[in-house]
C-alpha cells in the first residue's frame, strides 16, 4: 500500500464533461499547488476519502492525468465522490486522502468502454475502502480540518 497523500482546495469548474457526457460528476481541484506531488505519482486512477466542509466524509475514486480520450493539454485532478448530492458544491473546500492506486491512465476506443471502465474502478474503490487497511484513513486528521 501507498503512504497516503493529501490534496485539497476549493472545487473548481472543469470542462463540464463529467456529469454531462459521462453521467459521472468529478469535483475538479486546481493542480497549481501540486506540481511536485503530481510529478511523483503516475497518472491514473486512485481511490481514497474525500472531506467536504460542512457536509461530511465520503469514499472517492479519482482520475489524475490528461484524460487521453478527451486529449486534454493539462493534467487534471478529478475525484468522483461516491455519494448522491442534491446540489453542486463548486467553491467549497474539498480535502482528499489518497490511499490506493487502481490502474494507469488508458485510452479507450469508445465512450461506452470508458464509462464501463470507470464503473469497474468505482466498484474496486467501494470494496477496497471497506478493508481495515484503507477504511482507517477515513479518520485521517487532514479531513477533520473541514468538520
Ligand atoms: P466540471 O467539469 O465543472 O468538473 P462535472 O460535470 O465534472 O463538471 O461535475 C462536477 C460538479 O458536480 C462538481 O464540481 C460538484 O459541484 C458537482 N457534484 C455533484 N455530485 C458530485 C459527486 N458525487 N462527485 C463529484 N462532484 C459532484
Ligand atoms: Mg469534473
Amino acid at each position: 500500500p501507498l503512504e497516503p497523500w493529501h490534496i485539497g482546495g476549493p472545487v473548481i469548474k472543469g470542462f463540464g464533461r463529467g456529469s454531462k457526457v459521462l453521467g459521472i460528476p468529478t469535483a475538479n481541484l486546481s493542480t497549481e499547488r501540486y506540481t511536485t506531488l503530481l510529478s511523483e505519482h503516475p497518472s491514473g486512477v486512485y481511490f481514497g476519502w474525500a472531506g467536504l466542509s460542512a457536509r461530511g466524509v465520503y469514499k472517492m475514486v479519482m482520475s489524475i492525468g490528461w484524460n487521453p480520450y478527451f486529449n486534454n493539454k493539462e493534467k487534471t485532478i478529478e475525484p468522483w465522490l461516491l455519494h448522491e448530492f442534491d446540489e453542486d458544491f463548486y467553491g467549497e473546500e474539498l480535502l482528499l486522502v489518497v490511499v490506493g492506486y487502481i490502474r494507469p491512465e488508458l485510452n479507450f476506443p469508445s465512450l461506452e468502454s470508458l464509462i464501463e471502465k470507470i464503473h469497474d474502478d468505482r466498484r474496486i474503490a467501494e470494496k477496497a475502502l471497506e478493508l481495515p487497511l484503507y477504511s482507517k484513513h477515513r479518520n485521517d486528521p487532514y479531513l477533520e480540518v473541514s468538520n
Side-chain angles (χ1 to χ4, degrees):
L2 303 171
E3 266 308 296
W5 41 290
H6 302 110
I7 36 184
V11 176
I12 61 170
K13 279 262 176 198
F15 295 107
R17 287 177 189 137
S19 43
K20 292 181 190 77
V21 180
L22 305 179
I24 297 165
T26 58
N28 296 46
L29 287 176
S30 170
T31 54
E32 222 167 327
R33 290 150 63 198
Y34 298 109
T35 326
T36 313
L37 188 70
L38 292 181
S39 69
E40 293 167 353
H41 295 273
S43 296
V45 178
Y46 293 83
F47 61 90
W49 296 98
L52 260 183
S53 46
R55 291 184 198 262
V57 176
Y58 310 95
K59 291 177 176 176
M60 65 87 182
V61 62
M62 167 176 74
S63 148
I64 288 187
W66 288 272
N67 297 352
Y69 185 86
F70 293 110
N71 201 13
N72 291 354
K73 297 290 173 277
E74 306 246 335
K75 224 173 183 178
T76 58
I77 303 175
E78 303 194 48
W80 178 21
L81 277 55
L82 304 180
H83 178 83
E84 288 284 330
F85 294 92
D86 297 334
E87 53 186 7
D88 287 351
F89 41 84
Y90 287 109
E92 292 187 27
E93 197 68 14
L94 173 64
L95 302 172
L96 305 178
V97 180
V98 186
V99 301
Y101 177 72
I102 299 178
R103 63 170 175 89
E105 186 161 53
L106 303 170
N107 205 345
F108 292 90
S110 67
L111 199 54
E112 291 67 34
S113 56
L114 168 60
I115 292 170
E116 230 173 88
K117 191 61 160 182
I118 295 172
H119 283 279
D120 290 343
D121 297 333
R122 172 182 57 78
R123 284 187 286 268
I124 291 167
E126 294 260 17
K127 277 202 126 173
L129 288 164
E130 294 295 319
L131 301 172
L133 179 67
Y134 299 122
S135 67
K136 66 179 182 199
H137 294 293
R138 189 186 222 288
N139 303 313
D140 189 305
Y142 182 73
L143 298 177
E144 278 161 32
V145 179
S146 65
N147 293 308

